[in-house]
Amino acid sequence: MTRYSPCQPNITGSGTVAANPVLTDKAVIQTFDLTKYYGNFLAVDHLNFSVQKGETFGFLGPNGSGKTTTIRMLVGLSKPTEGRASILGYDILTSMAEAKRSIGVVPDVSNLYDELSARNNLLFMARLYGVARDLREAKADELLKIFGLYERRDDPFGTFSRGMKRALTIAAALIHSPKILFLDEPTTGLDVVAAQSLRNLISNLHSQGQTIFLTTHYLEEADRLCDRIAILVKGKIIKIDTPLELKNSAKGKAAIEITFTGNIRTRLDELSIKIPGTKIYALDDDKVRICGGDPAKIFEGAFQFAKDAGIGLEFVNSIRPSLEDAFMRITGLSPKIMAIEKTGR
Amino acid sequence: MWQDDLRAVYCIALKDMRTYYLKPPAISWGVIFPVVWILAFYLRNPGNFEDLIPGLIAMTILFSTTAAEAVVINFELKLGSIERLLLAPISIASVLIGKVLGGFIFGLIMTAILTIASSIYLGLHPNALLLTAIAVPSLLVFSSLGAFFSVAVKEVFEAQTLLNLPRFFMIFLCGVVYPISAMPKWLQDLAYILPLTYTVDGLRRSFYLSSTSSMFTDLLVLIVFFIILIVPATRLLEKKFE
Ligand SMILES: Nc1ncnc2c1ncn2[C@@H]1O[C@H](COP(=O)(O)OP(=O)(O)OP(=O)(O)O)[C@@H](O)[C@H]1O
Ligand SMILES: [Mg+2]
């Protein structure tokens, strides 16, 4: 194996991402062709990215795109098949034990101990990380208050609602005041209210200077929380940019949503013949989003299509570019695949 | 750092004591089972019940520790809590040793209660020092045996079921009930490669104080068994996180 210094990566034959790791002395996570195979299956494909101090960096990708696999490698629960990464300057292959002292991890499942009370769970983690005895209790109580669980501190974790479990799992990851917080799908499986309140907490951590690496399959979550987003599809980073830039890249292209009065899912080909030079995404049986092209031509073509098909137009909306449009344009995937709900624990 | 690892071993063992050892699987397999056997033997042959005491202590050691390990390791592998432990700056080996130590303490308490109670009730006077010198390494051996089976399988019930194989083999072959010397030669040979043989032998000697010098061999063999069980168990657990 060739030696390297964290500041001078030798990026060889990656070519998957335009953005090479931004190398500043503020980079706290850097990966170099980080790769994971499960047998012959390529789960994570030569990732190159870096995360800066104080930044919230998001991995946005559909189910099975390799988000969890990447986090597991970065936190030492799984070994990369190829490539390297450094966390706070420590090589994950050789110095993970040192790195672990300064990272906090929220796994994709809330796996604290059901039988222990909220407070005892935090105290156990504090002891495990060697937090000084006189700090432990104060820190645990502080976190319980921040996460709104102080009143329930003596109740067993097992009796908590899903949102409370998630919140306590985040609190547990912060008990040793880590420099980097890893969050694997923090809000998956939560109801809207619980998810919003958790996002507020994460956003507060960010404003206090906490470096955060999070994964999500919610576009709005990535948009709201992240300074930069890496879009991950099938183990590959397709694009890394700020939410604003991603949205801007979709600007200038008309995005028009049309709802028809009948099912047109099987007739998308006919529609696309009528409006050439555009990309059409089925949003529903009777609803499409059309990107690109000239709006006037799109209206005309769509109208013609509806007439030929013997159906009507119900709604026509012109859409302001959102992260969804950017996502569609960049990945060629419908954002619907991101909405496939999983049940979280 | 070794301080981290030492602290982790202690935290994990302590937490397991608090959270698991009052759970039904640990109690039923670890305590009720040996107690039922004891009752069965007592009812069948109340006359020379004393003779059976060392064997019954050995059985308690065997069942309490193996049952405990199957619970603490399999539950946590399944729920992902073992992963949580591995997020801390500690080695996989110390996580496993913490688990083994928890089972050891649980077994130690069970064994102590049984030994003291039966000795007082039957008026026996074992040599406490020699008894401890055999019981302690034995508890470590069987706790590691439980750990080994638990990391090798996926489900709690699989570990308990698979563990029954060596457990029952040992009950019948290692002198718990029938003296080894009364068995055919090939079964005797088999008995000598099973750890419980040395536990039973050592415990008997600490009760009857007969040729206690050979207890040193028992102790040594038990330590060897401990090592040859804990090392591959650690390897198997490490393999799960590659
Ligand atoms: N232990 C494993 N053995 C074999 N394949 C695995 C293993 N873990 C993950 N995979 C596969 O690797 C791919 C990436 O999985 P990963 O869990 O990283 O995806 P993800 O982006 O976290 O998805 P999700 O949104 O469902 O959590 C998937 O196709 C998955 O089936
Ligand atoms: Mg995942």
Side-chain angles (χ1 to χ4, degrees), chain A residues 72 100-101 111 115 127, chain B residues 4 23 80 83-84 86:
Chain A
R72 288 176 66 85
K100 280 180 176 177
R101 255 172 248 286
N111 59 2
E115 330 36 27
R127 249 180 249 121
Chain B
D4 287 316
K23 279 196 169 177
E83 294 199 354
R84 165 161 294 282
L86 295 176

Side-chain angles (χ1 to χ4, degrees), chain A residues 36 72 75 77-79 97 100-101 105 107 111-113 115-116 124-125 127-130 169 172 345, chain B residues 1 4 7-8 11-12 15 19-20 23 76 78-81 83-90 241-242:
Chain A
K36 180 79 185 186
R72 288 176 66 85
V75 304
L77 287 180
S78 162
K79 295 206 170 66
K100 280 180 176 177
R101 255 172 248 286
V105 185
N111 59 2
L112 290 169
Y113 298 104
E115 330 36 27
L116 292 184
F124 172 68
M125 290 313 287
R127 249 180 249 121
L128 202 62
Y129 278 90
T169 309
R345 226 203 298 150
Chain B
M1 227 66 70
D4 287 316
R7 194 185 54 239
C11 289
I12 292 167
K15 191 227 69 190
T19 50
Y20 289 118
K23 279 196 169 177
E76 295 210 358
K78 226 174 137 110
L79 296 177
S81 337
E83 294 199 354
R84 165 161 294 282
L85 301 174
L86 295 176
L87 293 172
I90 52 179
F241 295 96
E242 274 179 0

Side-chain angles (χ1 to χ4, degrees), chain B residues 170-226:
Chain B
M170 287 196 274
I171 290 177
F172 290 111
L173 295 180
C174 298
V176 172
V177 190
Y178 313 103
I180 294 178
S181 53
M183 299 192 304
K185 176 77 173 62
W186 67 276
L187 277 182
Q188 289 192 22
D189 290 344
L190 195 59
Y192 285 114
I193 59 165
L194 296 171
L196 198 68
T197 302
Y198 303 91
T199 304
V200 175
D201 182 75
L203 290 175
R204 270 194 204 292
R205 289 180 200 284
S206 71
F207 267 87
Y208 305 119
L209 303 175
S210 58
S211 56
T212 45
S213 60
S214 72
M215 285 177 71
F216 190 67
T217 320
D218 292 332
L219 176 66
L220 224 59
V221 174
L222 286 169
I223 291 172
V224 171
F225 269 112
F226 172 55

Side-chain angles (χ1 to χ4, degrees), chain B:
Chain B
M1 227 66 70
W2 65 270
Q3 292 101 322
D4 287 316
D5 287 302
L6 214 59
R7 194 185 54 239
V9 167
Y10 168 76
C11 289
I12 292 167
L14 199 71
K15 191 227 69 190
D16 282 351
M17 289 303 295
R18 285 210 299 202
T19 50
Y20 289 118
Y21 293 137
L22 289 174
K23 279 196 169 177
I27 297 187
S28 62
W29 282 98
V31 185
I32 297 174
F33 193 81
V35 166
V36 167
W37 274 68
I38 291 168
L39 270 177
F41 282 116
Y42 180 69
L43 293 175
R44 198 173 140 240
N45 203 351
N48 59 354
F49 188 50
E50 286 110 271
D51 283 354
L52 291 174
I53 293 300
L56 294 173
I57 294 174
M59 236 171 64
T60 307
I61 292 178
L62 170 65
F63 273 86
S64 57
T65 50
T66 49
E69 286 309 299
V71 173
V72 296
I73 294 180
N74 288 99
F75 268 143
E76 295 210 358
L77 272 174
K78 226 174 137 110
L79 296 177
S81 337
I82 289 233
E83 294 199 354
R84 165 161 294 282
L85 301 174
L86 295 176
L87 293 172
I90 52 179
S91 65
I92 291 186
S94 29
V95 170
L96 195 74
I97 290 171
K99 295 273 160 200
V100 167
L101 197 67
F104 165 84
I105 298 170
F106 174 73
L108 187 67
I109 294 170
M110 294 302 133
T111 310
I113 293 173
L114 180 96
T115 307
I116 293 168
S118 59
S119 296
I120 291 174
Y121 181 69
L122 296 166
L124 304 174
H125 297 284
N127 180 322
L129 191 73
L130 295 177
L131 193 141
T132 311
I134 292 299
V136 165
S138 298
L139 287 161
L140 286 174
V141 167
F142 297 112
S143 195
S144 315
L145 179 77
F148 177 79
F149 275 82
S150 303
V151 293
V153 301
K154 287 208 175 69
E155 308 283 341
V156 181
F157 74 88
E158 280 182 327
Q160 297 286 23
T161 313
L162 266 181
L163 269 165
N164 280 339
L165 204 70
R167 283 199 288 222
F168 284 109
F169 250 111
M170 287 196 274
I171 290 177
F172 290 111
L173 295 180
C174 298
V176 172
V177 190
Y178 313 103
I180 294 178
S181 53
M183 299 192 304
K185 176 77 173 62
W186 67 276
L187 277 182
Q188 289 192 22
D189 290 344
L190 195 59
Y192 285 114
I193 59 165
L194 296 171
L196 198 68
T197 302
Y198 303 91
T199 304
V200 175
D201 182 75
L203 290 175
R204 270 194 204 292
R205 289 180 200 284
S206 71
F207 267 87
Y208 305 119
L209 303 175
S210 58
S211 56
T212 45
S213 60
S214 72
M215 285 177 71
F216 190 67
T217 320
D218 292 332
L219 176 66
L220 224 59
V221 174
L222 286 169
I223 291 172
V224 171
F225 269 112
F226 172 55
I227 294 167
I228 59 178
L229 284 167
I230 195 85
V231 172
T234 308
R235 266 310 294 151
L236 279 175
L237 190 58
E238 276 168 355
K239 271 222 138 61
K240 288 188 194 268
F241 295 96
E242 274 179 0

